[in-house]
Amino acid sequence: MNLNNMKRTLAWLTICIVALSAPGAFAGDNLKLHAKLIWGCDDDMPTDPGIKPVSPEVATQLKGIFKWKHYYVVTNMTAKIPDKGAQKLVLSKKCTVEVKNDAHTYKAKLFGEGKLLKEVDQKKVAGENLVLAGGDKNATAWFVILTPQE
Amino acid sequence: MNTESKLRLQSYLDNEVSSAEAREIASWIARDAEAKALCDELQGTKALLIAENELPVAVPDSREFYWSKIQQGIERAEREPSREVVARPWWSRLLAPVAGAAALALFVFTSVSTNPARNVAGQTEQSLTDNSITFYSPEHKMTVVWIASAANSADSGSADLDWDEFE
C-alpha cells in the first residue's frame, strides 16, 4: 500500500468515525418520535382520572420557560416513521400532528380541528424537543412536544 | 490590690519571674500586709494542691521573656520590605478579555453551525406569515413555536393570546 492509498484510507476512516459519532446520528433512517399533548394550568389537579402530571424532568423544562404552575399529560405516544414516510399522530379529538421523516430533518404539521395551524421543519437531533404550543381558555395552555429518539 | 498585682504575686510563687523581679516582689511582700496575707493564702493553696498530687507544670520562659519574643516578632515583621507588585507586560492584561471573547464567539459559532434549522440560541423570531413566535432555549434543549391563531383550535374553546404568556 503506497502513501496515497494510506492517506485515502485514513481519510475515509475518519469520515466514518465522525459520521457515526455525530450527535443526532440515527440508526438507519427510521425516525422514532415521542409525542405528548400536555395541558398547562395554575389550578390544582384536574378531576379527570386519565390526566396525570408530567414527569419531574418535563415539568422542570416547561417551568423553566413557561409561567404555568402545573402541567398534565393528556396523551403520550411513540411513533416509528420510515424514511420519506409520513404518519398522522392523533393526540386528541381536535389535535393531530402529521410528521414526515426526511433524511436529516422532519416536518411537523399541526392540525387543530382539521385545520392546518403550523408547519415546522426541524433537524433530527435525539433528545431535542420541538414544542408547538398555544394559549387556551381560562388562562390555560396546551403543548405538543415532539422528541426524536436514538 | 489590683488584678495585675495579684497576677504578679502568683507568678512569683510559681517561679515564673526573673530573679530581679523576684527580689522586687519579695521586698513588696515584706512591706505590704495585704500582699503578705495573699501570698500566705496562695502558698497554703499551693501546698494543698501539691498535697493532693497535682502535677507541677514547668513554664519554659519567664513572663517577660515570653512577651519580648512576641514583640521581637512584630518588629521583625515591620522591618521586612513590603512586597511590590510585579509589573506585567501590557499585552498580558489583554489576555483575559480576549480569551473570554474568543470563548464566547466559539460558543455562539458552534450553537448556530450545529443547529442550522434554528435561530441564534435564545433569540425569538416572529413569523410574518402567521401569528407565531419561535423561540429556542439551549438550556432546556427546546424549540418552542407559540401559535397565536391556534389558541382556539388545537384543543378546546377560544382564548385571547397574550404574548406575555411567553415569559
Side-chain angles (χ1 to χ4, degrees):
Chain A
M1 187 183 284
N2 62 29
L3 193 62
N4 282 339
N5 282 341
M6 279 181 68
K7 280 181 180 175
R8 197 172 296 134
T9 306
L10 197 63
W12 277 110
L13 200 63
T14 307
I15 289 167
C16 290
I17 291 170
V18 169
L20 290 172
S21 62
F26 289 81
D29 291 315
N30 288 342
L31 171 63
K32 189 180 175 187
L33 192 76
H34 281 177
K36 295 188 195 83
L37 176 60
I38 289 168
W39 182 52
C41 65
D42 288 331
D43 298 332
D44 291 335
M45 185 84 174
T47 51
D48 188 342
I51 295 179
K52 291 184 167 51
V54 298
S55 67
E57 185 188 2
V58 174
T60 302
Q61 284 181 318
L62 292 173
K63 284 178 183 175
I65 295 176
F66 300 105
K67 67 173 188 177
W68 288 274
K69 291 177 189 170
H70 307 292
Y71 298 87
Y72 300 101
V73 181
V74 180
T75 311
N76 193 359
M77 63 169 65
T78 303
K80 203 168 188 177
I81 305 163
D83 187 30
K84 305 296 179 189
Q87 193 168 327
K88 274 192 176 179
L89 311 175
V90 180
L91 298 173
S92 75
K93 287 178 186 173
K94 298 176 182 177
C95 178
T96 303
V97 181
E98 186 181 307
V99 181
K100 186 181 178 188
N101 179 16
D102 282 331
H104 300 291
T105 61
Y106 65 97
K107 182 174 283 185
K109 289 180 179 177
L110 177 70
F111 294 89
E113 295 182 305
K115 181 186 166 191
L116 178 62
L117 302 173
K118 186 71 184 176
E119 192 173 320
V120 179
D121 277 312
Q122 183 76 356
K123 193 175 171 68
K124 278 194 275 187
V125 179
E128 288 269 349
N129 300 301
L130 170 62
V131 182
L132 302 163
D136 209 335
K137 63 182 179 182
N138 298 327
T140 62
W142 53 268
F143 306 88
V144 173
I145 302 182
L146 304 175
T147 313
Q149 307 295 305
E150 288 282 2
Chain B
M1 186 184 296
N2 59 25
T3 305
E4 179 67 20
S5 300
K6 288 176 184 174
L7 287 173
R8 285 186 73 203
L9 197 55
Q10 181 67 63
S11 300
Y12 166 74
L13 292 173
D14 292 338
N15 297 319
E16 293 173 359
V17 295
S18 63
S19 55
E21 191 174 8
R23 282 195 297 275
E24 184 187 331
I25 292 171
S27 170
W28 168 49
I29 292 169
R31 285 183 278 113
D32 190 330
E34 187 182 4
K36 177 78 170 65
L38 180 60
C39 183
D40 291 342
E41 185 184 339
L42 289 172
Q43 276 179 323
T45 305
K46 190 177 178 182
L48 178 68
L49 291 173
I50 290 171
E52 294 296 326
N53 296 323
E54 184 188 351
L55 295 173
V57 177
V59 180
D61 301 326
S62 71
R63 187 165 171 265
E64 285 71 22
F65 184 63
Y66 179 78
W67 286 109
S68 71
K69 281 200 296 185
I70 293 174
Q71 189 174 3
Q72 284 171 7
I74 293 169
E75 288 170 356
R76 196 182 310 120
E78 287 176 347
R79 280 196 302 272
E80 284 180 0
S82 61
R83 291 179 184 174
E84 292 178 6
V85 179
V86 180
R88 292 183 300 167
W90 64 269
W91 52 266
S92 69
R93 278 172 280 170
L94 295 175
L95 274 179
V98 167
L104 184 63
L106 184 65
F107 172 75
V108 171
F109 174 74
T110 52
S111 297
V112 172
S113 62
T114 57
N115 300 290
R118 296 187 204 119
N119 304 309
V120 175
Q123 279 196 344
T124 302
E125 179 194 69
Q126 183 160 10
S127 171
L128 297 174
T129 55
D130 55 28
N131 289 330
S132 67
I133 282 183
T134 302
F135 173 86
Y136 178 65
S137 167
E139 185 187 347
H140 301 94
K141 296 168 77 176
M142 209 176 253
T143 300
V144 178
V145 182
W146 186 268
I147 305 157
S149 58
N152 57 355
S153 305
D155 194 45
S156 61
S158 62
D160 296 325
L161 181 74
D162 181 3
W163 293 122
D164 292 339
E165 288 175 344
F166 217 87
E167 294 176 351

